[in-house]
Amino acid sequence: LRGYTFQADPADGLRLSEGAGPQTLRFTYQHPNHPFNVEIAYTFQPDRYLIGVTNQVRGLDVDLVFTDLGQGIPFNEQKERDEVRVAAYVLNHAQEGIRSQLLSRVDGFRIEEGPLLWTGFKSKYFLMALMAGASAEEEKYLGGVIAEPTGRENRVTLSASQAVPSSGLIGYRLFMGPQDFARLENIGSDLQNANPYGWKFMRPIVRPFAGIIIKILGFLHDNLHIGYGWVLILFGVMMRVVLFPLNQKGMKAQMRNMAAQPLMQEIQTKYKDNPEKLQKEMMKLYKEHGFNPLAGCLPMLLPWPVLIALFFVFQNTIELRGVSFLWLPDLSAPDPFFILPAFLGISMFLLQWVSMRSMPQQNPQMKMMMYVMPVMMVFIFFQLASGLNLYYATANIATLPQQIYIANERKKAQAKAPLTLSK
């Protein structure tokens, strides 16, 4: 059908105005020598990125109709490599779930078999998706997708097939807009996961945390009426307050372990030739003095899914795109003056310095890492979104009072009399 001339109604197109009702643009083709005709109607709503489409085929026995989705979303970010890294076609298989294919890696003709709930193109911040059915409640599927390279770099043609019923009427919806998590979630069919957060093996863990974090950021922005820069600062402080009980619990467990360390070494030396007695005495040590090698690590590991989710959220959320804050022109882009990465490195050094001063024995390797790690992190973070740097720098500063408190508690514990084994 792409070679035929369609008549548009209204002929001069549509003008949508805010607050007005939906309007429909129709394209009609009538074959000059045959009763075959096609009518495609697009219904636009001024306040939504969702377009309702009906495709009526008459006068011809047709099994399938293919809808051409073009060649992908044009790149429009400052760094093209950021777009190339995520530009892909994506589909949601009815049984197998969501999967995507990077456009840069499509090297030949491909057929993606259905049934599919939807398919489309994604970029870093935007999505163009074709969803089967005229409404979310309608149980409809796409038959499959054909993808083929165009010969242009990072450009692929995508066509979605739909079976034509006896009535000849096909319905589907087009979403063409930003990857706003709440908006896509309201549409349904897992559309909010078209651009999933995190690497594939981590997504089942990261995805729930990412959804919660995005909702919290949106809630703070909408209800406190503050810019996203201040939202990130407030969120950084809130996270440190929430995680403090875990850090304190881990610190107390570490202090118990450090105090019991000499006793453990004494038991291991004394009963090294008697494994049964060694195990019995170690269990006694665990019971009497609360010694547990994992107790100090576990509370520290629990916040990691949150931290990883934050990394991907701040790198990809469209709410930060183009938002300025103080000297930062765009919270989704790197700091042009490298102030935040440098500040982040200094704050990391201070945290490690406070912690090292309270240690009973200074480990040379840890001391070296105290100087090396901040420098490494500066080189890593100066390329990342300034919103991510702003959050981490805020979280580090909010952690300093907690770290000082923990260091003082550690010194008090060291001043106490050493533990002894009971007879």
Side-chain angles (χ1 to χ4, degrees):
L1 300 175
R2 64 164 63 100
Y4 296 147
T5 301
F6 282 71
Q7 300 297 316
D9 178 27
D12 56 350
L14 299 179
R15 284 190 177 274
L16 303 179
S17 56
E18 187 177 359
Q23 296 189 60
T24 300
L25 180 64
R26 287 183 173 82
F27 292 90
T28 307
Y29 169 75
Q30 175 63 59
H31 195 282
N33 304 316
H34 196 278
F36 168 60
N37 66 79
V38 179
E39 180 184 288
I40 305 173
Y42 299 88
T43 301
F44 298 87
Q45 300 183 53
D47 59 342
R48 304 186 73 186
Y49 295 101
L50 198 61
I51 304 162
V53 186
T54 57
N55 192 342
Q56 179 73 60
V57 181
R58 302 183 184 91
L60 196 66
D61 186 15
V62 179
D63 293 325
L64 289 176
V65 167
F66 286 85
T67 302
D68 190 346
L69 293 174
Q71 300 180 9
I73 301 171
F75 295 166
N76 51 31
E77 300 305 312
Q78 292 181 12
K79 293 184 178 180
E80 186 172 302
R81 69 171 182 267
D82 291 345
E83 294 273 44
V84 173
R85 182 172 51 86
V86 296
Y89 71 79
V90 59
L91 53 88
N92 188 358
H93 194 279
Q95 284 85 42
E96 299 171 10
I98 297 172
R99 63 176 183 265
S100 62
Q101 176 64 50
L102 293 175
L103 300 186
S104 59
R105 297 184 181 176
V106 178
D107 53 5
F109 184 87
R110 301 172 68 103
I111 296 177
E112 304 281 2
E113 296 184 358
L116 309 177
L117 297 173
W118 50 261
T119 188
F121 288 108
K122 68 174 182 178
S123 65
K124 184 175 183 180
Y125 292 115
F126 297 96
L127 176 68
M128 177 184 178
L130 186 153
M131 293 164 281
S135 67
E137 293 76 25
E138 193 175 357
E139 189 81 5
K140 294 283 186 178
Y141 300 101
L142 304 175
V145 167
I146 293 176
E148 189 173 9
T150 64
R152 295 172 57 203
E153 193 175 14
N154 303 311
R155 287 289 172 261
V156 173
T157 59
L158 195 67
S159 299
S161 70
Q162 286 179 281
V164 181
S166 57
S167 64
L169 183 64
I170 302 169
Y172 59 90
R173 292 159 294 151
L174 286 173
F175 177 86
M176 295 187 287
Q179 293 185 47
D180 181 312
F181 188 89
R183 188 188 301 273
L184 295 176
E185 189 177 41
N186 288 334
I187 293 174
S189 298
D190 257 357
L191 205 62
Q192 73 275 12
N193 292 318
N195 202 3
Y197 296 100
W199 299 290
K200 190 172 182 179
F201 71 96
M202 297 180 64
R203 285 171 193 166
I205 300 173
V206 172
R207 188 178 295 169
F209 290 103
I212 294 170
I213 290 166
I214 292 171
K215 289 178 180 178
I216 292 174
L217 295 178
F219 176 84
L220 294 174
H221 174 71
D222 296 338
N223 290 274
L224 299 181
H225 306 290
I226 56 177
Y228 272 106
W230 294 111
V231 166
L232 295 180
I233 291 174
L234 179 60
F235 187 69
V237 175
M238 287 171 55
M239 284 299 298
R240 300 323 302 172
V241 172
V242 170
L243 295 176
F244 178 67
L246 283 174
N247 292 336
Q248 190 178 27
K249 187 175 181 180
M251 176 270 297
K252 289 181 178 179
Q254 284 180 349
M255 289 194 297
R256 286 196 300 268
N257 290 348
M258 288 172 64
Q261 194 74 24
L263 300 183
M264 185 186 72
Q265 293 174 353
E266 182 182 338
I267 292 171
Q268 289 174 337
T269 303
K270 188 174 181 179
Y271 301 106
K272 62 180 180 180
D273 298 324
N274 190 345
E276 186 177 341
K277 183 66 174 177
L278 174 63
Q279 184 178 6
K280 184 178 178 182
E281 290 297 320
M282 288 296 289
M283 292 300 295
K284 186 177 179 182
L285 178 65
Y286 295 163
K287 187 176 180 180
E288 289 185 3
H289 299 295
F291 175 76
N292 187 346
L294 298 177
C297 301
L298 205 55
M300 304 296 185
L301 292 176
L302 289 176
W304 270 101
V306 179
L307 296 177
I308 295 170
L310 285 168
F311 174 81
F312 290 108
V313 166
F314 291 149
Q315 282 290 94
N316 297 295
T317 182
I318 194 170
E319 284 81 2
L320 303 183
R321 182 177 182 265
V323 176
S324 60
F325 179 68
L326 299 179
W327 73 91
L328 302 169
D330 186 350
L331 287 174
S332 69
D335 182 345
F337 305 107
F338 311 114
I339 296 172
L340 274 177
F343 187 72
L344 181 66
I346 293 169
S347 64
M348 288 186 65
F349 175 81
L350 287 174
L351 285 173
Q352 294 183 54
W353 181 76
V354 170
S355 179
M356 284 282 292
R357 283 176 62 86
S358 63
M359 293 292 182
Q361 294 180 345
Q362 299 264 335
N363 188 321
Q365 292 180 339
M366 289 183 65
K367 192 172 182 180
M368 185 183 68
M369 291 300 292
M370 181 177 70
Y371 293 98
V372 173
M373 277 299 293
V375 176
M376 290 177 57
M377 295 304 291
V378 168
F379 276 100
I380 293 172
F381 274 77
F382 89 92
Q383 302 182 57
L384 302 181
S386 55
L388 181 66
N389 283 321
L390 180 62
Y391 164 78
Y392 277 123
T394 301
N396 283 352
I397 295 302
T399 306
L400 264 176
Q402 300 176 4
Q403 198 71 19
I404 293 171
Y405 168 76
I406 290 173
N408 290 334
E409 289 294 307
R410 191 180 285 130
K411 287 180 179 178
K412 290 178 184 177
Q414 293 168 16
K416 293 180 181 179
L419 301 178
T420 56
L421 289 171
S422 59
K423 299 292 184 181

